Amino acid sequence: MSEPSDEDLEATVIGGGTAGTDELDHKLRLGRPEFGDQLDGLRARLAATAGGLAPRVVGRHRLGRVMGSGAFGTVYEAEDPELDRRVAVKLLSVRTEREAARVIREARMLATLSHPNVVQVFEVGAIDEGRSPYVVMELVEGATLRQWLERAPRSWREIVEVGLGAARGLHAAHEAGIVHRDFKPDNLLIGEDRRPRVIDFGLARPVGDDPASEGRSTLPSGGGSPQLTATGQVMGTPAYMAPEMFLGTCTPLSDQYGLCASLFEALFGQRPFVAKSTDELRKLALTREVTLPEERRGVPRRVQAVVMRGLSSRPEERFADLAQLGAALEDASSPPRWGRRGMALAGLGAVTLVGVAMVGPREETAAPAAAMVEEPAAGEQAPPAETPEVAALRAETERLRELLDTAQQAEALTLSESLLGRARALEHGPSLVELLLLRGQVLVLATDFDAALVVLEEAYFLADDQGMPRQAAHAASELVGVLGYQSDRYEDAHGWQDHAEAAFERAGLDPRQHAPYMMSVAGLATREGRRDEAIAMLRESIASVEHGDRARGSEHAALLRALGRELYVEQQLDEAIALMTQAVEIYAEHDGERSVLYSGALDNLGVLVTAAERYEEALAHHLRALAIREELLEPMHMDLGRSHGNLGRVLGFLGRHEEALAHFERALEIFSERLGPGNSAVGRCYEDRGMLNAQRGPELREEALRDLDKAARIYDGAGIIYAPTAARVRETILALGGTPPPAPSIPIPP
C-alpha cells in the first residue's frame, strides 16, 4: 500500500472534524513521525477554523501575513504603530483557561531573557477575555538552520560558528531558569545579519519543573514537530531528544544533547540515529551510543570529539553546561593564533605554487606545489609501521604526484578521489595527510576552491593531530593562497598565515626555503602596500633556488612569474618581460609546450607585452594559451576565464570590438559561476565590458554606464585594497557624463 500524500492527510483531518485530530495523534503514537510537520500545520489550521477568523488587531498590533503555523498556534507579521516597527505576533492555541494562565506566566518568564542569540519577546497578553494568549516577538528575516544548510554547501567551520551562537543562546536561557526541551535545526533561525537566534520555546519549562504536572507547555513554537505522546506526558522531536527525555526527565543537559544532535546532522548529513518509527528510535536512543558515520566530510577529529561528548547517553558524561561545551568547541575549531614575526604579513594576494597570481590586469594559472622537504623534522612523531596495503597505496600515490606535476587535471581528479577513499578506509594517519594535501592541490588545479578549502583544512588539522608539522605548514601555506587571492577572504588568509608560520617553527624549518609560502606572504605584503618588501622576498627566494638543485624547474619558473608581476606593477616593464620570457622557456623545457603551466606563463607574457603596446605579439600569445587550455581544461575552468579576459583586452586595443565583447562575456560567465557575483574578478569583467562599449559609440553609453556602476559597487565591497580601483571607475563614469554610485564613507576593510 502506498504512503498517503499530503492531500490524503488533509482530507482525513478536515473530513473527520475533531475526531480527525485524535486519529492523527494516534498515527504519531504508532510511529509515524515523518508526518509530524504536515500534521501539526493541519491541526493548527483546524483550530483556527474552529475558533473563527483571526482578529485583525491584537493589542495595539495590526496583523498582516501569516508567517507560519504549528501545533501551538499561528505566527503573523504585524505592525506596532506606537513604536513604528515590524514584529511577529503568535496567537497561541490552548484548551483551558488554566492552561492559558500558565502559558502567559511562562511567556513572561521568557520575556525577561535578553540575549543576542535568543529571539526577543517584547510583550505577552491575552484577548477574548483572557482565553486566547498571544506573544509579540522580534521579527527576524532569515532561514532556519535546516533551510540555511539546504540553500548552499556549508563548510564545517561555518556550521560550528552557527552552533556556537546556539550554545550561547541556550546557555543564557538556562541561566535564566528556562529549559528549551525541543531544540532542533528548525528552531535555530539564522538572520540576514548572519546571527543565529534560538526560537520556538514551545515546549520550554522552568528548570526543575515537573513537565507532567500541568499538561503540555505551549510557549511559542512554530516548526510543527512530531510529538511523542499525549497531553501530560513527555513531548519533543524524537530525532533530537536526549535518551532521558524518553523516560520523562528533562534538564539543561537535554538541550545540550539536542544541540549536538543538530550539529551532528549539519556536519555529517545524517542524524545520530536513523529509524523508521518513533518506537524504534526510542529503543536505539535508550540502548545504544551514537557512533560517527563512515564519511566525516573533513570535520576535524577535535570537533568530532566535542559533538560526540554532547551526545553521550548518560547526562553526567556530557559537558557540565553549554558554556563549557561552547569553549571546547571554539578551542577545537580555532587553534591558537601565534604572534606574527618577521615575514608574518597580512592582507591579500596569496600566491602559491598551486595558484601563482597575476593580480589586477595580470592573470594567473595553476601550478603544482613542490613537496615539502622529506628529512626528519623536530617535533615530528614516528609514523606507524606500514602494512602491505599502505605500501601499495604509497606506490600509487607517486602516480598522482606525476599527474599533478604535469597538471593532468582530469586524471588527477579521478585518481586522487579514489586514493583518498582508500586512505580513509586504512586509517593510516601519514598516508591520509599526504593524500589530503595532494587532493587539495588537485582541486586547486581544477579551480574548485570551495572543495579545496575543506580538504586542505582537514589536512592541516589532521597533520597537527598526527604530529606532522611540515605537512601542517604546507597545508596552511596552500590555504593562504586560496583564501587570499582566489576568494577575497583576506582575514581568513591572514589567520592561516599565522598557522603556517607556527607550523614551520614547530618543524624546525626556515619558511624562506619553502617557495609556496614565500610567494604567499609576498602577495600579502603587496596587498598591504609593501611591494618593495615583496620584491625583496621574491628575489631572495629566486637566488636560493638558482644556487641549489631546483633551478630550471617549475618552482623556479613560478617564482620568476611572481616577481615579474610585482615589477610590472612597479612599471619596470623590461625586466618583467625578461623574467616572464625566462619562465615560459623553463616551462617549455620542464613541462612541455602542451602543458597547463606553459600556457599560463604564455598568457602572462601576453599581458606584459600588451602593456608594452606590442598588441599583435600579445594576441598570438593569448590565442596559443587559450588553445592549449581549451584542449586540457574543463569548459568552466577559471584559467579559461582569464584567457578570455586577456584576449578581450588586446582585441579591444586592436579595434576588433565585436570579438572583444564575445570574450568579455565568456569571462564574465565563468567568473560569475565559479566565484560568485561579488568577486573582484567579476567586477573587472564589468569594467572591461563597460569601457569597451563606451568606445564603441554614444548609442551604447547607457549600457556602458550600467556596467561601470556594477564594477564600482563590486570593488567597493571587495575590500579596501580596491578603493583606488573603485575611484578610477567613478572618474570614468563622470567623464562619460554619468552619476557614479556614492562611495562608502569608510572603505570596507579586508
Side-chain angles (χ1 to χ4, degrees), residues 61-64 76-80 85-89 139:
H61 305 94
R62 291 196 291 267
L63 302 189
Y76 296 85
E77 181 180 354
E79 180 184 353
D80 182 340
R85 66 181 177 186
R86 293 161 62 229
V87 295
V89 174
L139 179 64

Side-chain angles (χ1 to χ4, degrees), residues 127-182:
I127 57 175
D128 193 19
E129 298 181 353
R131 291 189 295 272
S132 300
Y134 67 86
V135 179
V136 182
M137 299 173 287
E138 171 188 11
L139 179 64
V140 181
E141 298 289 353
T144 65
L145 173 58
R146 192 180 307 283
Q147 293 165 338
W148 181 76
L149 291 167
E150 290 171 349
R151 289 178 181 178
R154 309 293 181 182
S155 70
W156 68 263
R157 195 174 291 278
E158 290 177 287
I159 293 168
V160 167
E161 281 298 316
V162 168
L164 284 170
R168 296 183 190 107
L170 286 170
H171 182 65
H174 296 165
E175 290 289 288
I178 303 168
V179 183
H180 191 289
R181 297 208 306 156
D182 191 26

Side-chain angles (χ1 to χ4, degrees), residues 5-59:
S5 67
D6 290 347
E7 292 80 5
D8 292 333
L9 287 171
E10 186 157 359
T12 300
V13 176
I14 295 174
T18 56
T21 303
D22 293 337
E23 181 181 348
L24 294 177
D25 284 332
H26 178 65
K27 285 187 176 183
L28 289 178
R29 290 196 297 274
L30 289 177
R32 303 301 300 273
E34 66 270 28
F35 295 142
D37 290 342
Q38 297 99 319
L39 297 176
D40 280 343
L42 292 171
R43 188 160 43 210
R45 290 197 290 274
L46 267 180
T49 301
L53 296 175
R56 302 186 69 84
V57 177
V58 172

Side-chain angles (χ1 to χ4, degrees), residues 321-343:
D321 57 34
L322 280 168
Q324 285 192 17
L325 181 144
L329 193 58
E330 194 162 16
D331 182 65
S333 60
S334 302
R337 290 173 62 88
W338 297 276
R340 303 175 187 84
R341 310 177 317 280
M343 300 188 329

Side-chain angles (χ1 to χ4, degrees), residues 132-246:
S132 300
Y134 67 86
V135 179
V136 182
M137 299 173 287
E138 171 188 11
L139 179 64
V140 181
E141 298 289 353
T144 65
L145 173 58
R146 192 180 307 283
Q147 293 165 338
W148 181 76
L149 291 167
E150 290 171 349
R151 289 178 181 178
R154 309 293 181 182
S155 70
W156 68 263
R157 195 174 291 278
E158 290 177 287
I159 293 168
V160 167
E161 281 298 316
V162 168
L164 284 170
R168 296 183 190 107
L170 286 170
H171 182 65
H174 296 165
E175 290 289 288
I178 303 168
V179 183
H180 191 289
R181 297 208 306 156
D182 191 26
F183 188 86
K184 57 186 176 181
D186 303 291
N187 286 345
L188 185 67
L189 183 64
I190 302 166
E192 292 180 352
D193 58 1
R194 299 188 180 183
R195 174 157 47 100
R197 296 168 177 85
V198 181
I199 61 172
D200 288 2
F201 283 78
L203 301 180
R205 296 301 299 265
V207 172
D209 199 9
D210 179 2
S213 63
E214 294 186 82
R216 65 175 186 170
S217 177
T218 51
L219 288 182
S221 176
S225 60
Q227 310 306 326
L228 276 182
T229 58
T231 299
Q233 297 179 323
V234 178
M235 302 178 68
T237 303
Y240 309 96
M241 283 172 55
E244 65 270 16
M245 292 182 68
F246 288 91

